[in-house]
Amino acid sequence: AGYYNEHLPNVELIKPYVANNVKHVFHQYVIRHESRDLLQKRLKAFGIITLIHYSKPIHRQQAFSNKEYSPFNLKWTDAICKEILSLPIYPELSKGSLDLVSKVIEEI
């Protein structure tokens, strides 16, 4: 995660925020990009597998269908769910793989 934070370009994507006084255990590295689907498609073309872990916000899931949650009340949640993309992250991920992900995103 630290490597991504340092090497991913700062343009047109939002990286995870971690406050200085905390340590984060990244089991997912989730970025936001307004053209998430296009970004995911282009990364896949380079053999980089990404995931969308939470494509449907909780207030839109069947378990909450009988609750009084209005989609208009959670417009930011709806918008963010259309932008999130999980990049590859796991302990055995090589520096070369991290460099490739960063390079491809920068070129895109």
Side-chain angles (χ1 to χ4, degrees):
Y3 196 85
Y4 277 142
N5 287 341
E6 291 178 23
H7 292 88
L8 285 176
N10 288 319
V11 294
E12 297 188 22
L13 67 88
I14 300 171
K15 297 183 262 188
Y17 170 77
V18 179
N20 291 331
N21 61 340
V22 299
K23 283 192 173 186
H24 192 297
V25 180
F26 282 90
H27 74 286
Q28 295 174 1
Y29 189 88
V30 182
I31 61 170
R32 288 176 48 202
H33 192 278
E34 63 183 23
S35 298
R36 184 253 338 256
D37 295 337
L38 178 61
L39 177 62
Q40 185 179 39
K41 183 179 178 182
R42 289 186 178 172
L43 287 167
K44 186 176 181 181
F46 284 90
I48 300 167
I49 304 303
T50 59
L51 295 171
I52 301 168
H53 282 97
Y54 305 104
S55 60
K56 184 182 267 191
I58 257 185
H59 69 283
R60 294 198 178 277
Q61 294 182 18
Q62 186 175 358
F64 288 90
S65 63
N66 64 346
K67 305 293 181 195
E68 293 185 20
Y69 292 100
S70 166
F72 302 107
N73 292 339
L74 301 171
K75 65 181 180 179
W76 290 109
T77 303
D78 289 327
I80 289 170
C81 278
K82 294 176 184 173
E83 296 178 347
I84 57 174
L85 183 65
S86 297
L87 299 181
I89 188 167
Y90 51 93
E92 297 83 12
L93 192 60
S94 70
K95 181 181 176 291
S97 294
L98 290 165
D99 284 337
L100 177 63
V101 173
S102 299
K103 180 181 176 184
V104 170
I105 290 176
E106 185 174 354
E107 289 176 1
I108 292 171

